[in-house]
Amino acid sequence: MEDWLQGVELFNHGHFWEAHEAWEQLWQTTDKQGTVGLLLRGLIQAAAALLKLSEGNLRGARILSKRSQDTLPVFDYGTTLLGFEVATWRRTWDDYVLAIHKGV
């Protein structure tokens, strides 16, 4: 659980590589096709997309943001996992992905 919270804190402060690393350690111990595994994979991909964007790699950001979206739709709106409101985050993430794909 420490890796989860550390990843959230790092992500919220824009430390996308470090968040990715924290979550990946946790993801390695999960059922990768299970609910928590898919959530973590989607968030890892989101962190990687934002890292690519911060590096000016728009193509990489677009690819990874789309992968993240493709992973997360398995969650219904209203789903909460590990204290994380997936639906709220997903709506915000969808807006970011749209902006990334428009090149904003």
Side-chain angles (χ1 to χ4, degrees), residues 8-99:
V8 170
E9 185 73 17
L10 290 164
F11 186 93
N12 288 342
H13 286 92
H15 302 287
F16 303 120
W17 174 254
E18 293 84 355
H20 171 286
E21 288 295 299
W23 287 332
E24 179 135 4
Q25 287 180 25
L26 182 58
W27 179 73
Q28 291 295 336
T29 67
T30 67
D31 170 5
K32 292 174 184 52
Q33 295 305 311
T35 305
V36 173
L38 290 172
L39 172 65
L40 288 168
R41 183 172 61 184
L43 292 174
I44 289 165
Q45 292 164 334
L50 292 173
L51 176 63
K52 294 293 182 190
L53 189 62
S54 73
E55 295 172 341
N57 181 346
L58 189 56
R59 182 177 182 277
R62 287 176 175 157
I63 291 168
L64 287 162
S65 64
K66 178 68 172 125
R67 285 184 189 160
S68 176
Q69 275 188 313
D70 290 347
T71 300
L72 292 170
V74 299
F75 303 106
D76 295 327
Y77 286 103
T79 301
T80 302
L81 294 169
L82 302 172
F84 182 75
E85 294 183 25
V86 178
T88 301
W89 188 85
R90 177 58 197 261
R91 282 191 294 271
T92 302
W93 181 238
D94 286 346
D95 291 342
Y96 273 90
V97 171
L98 182 61

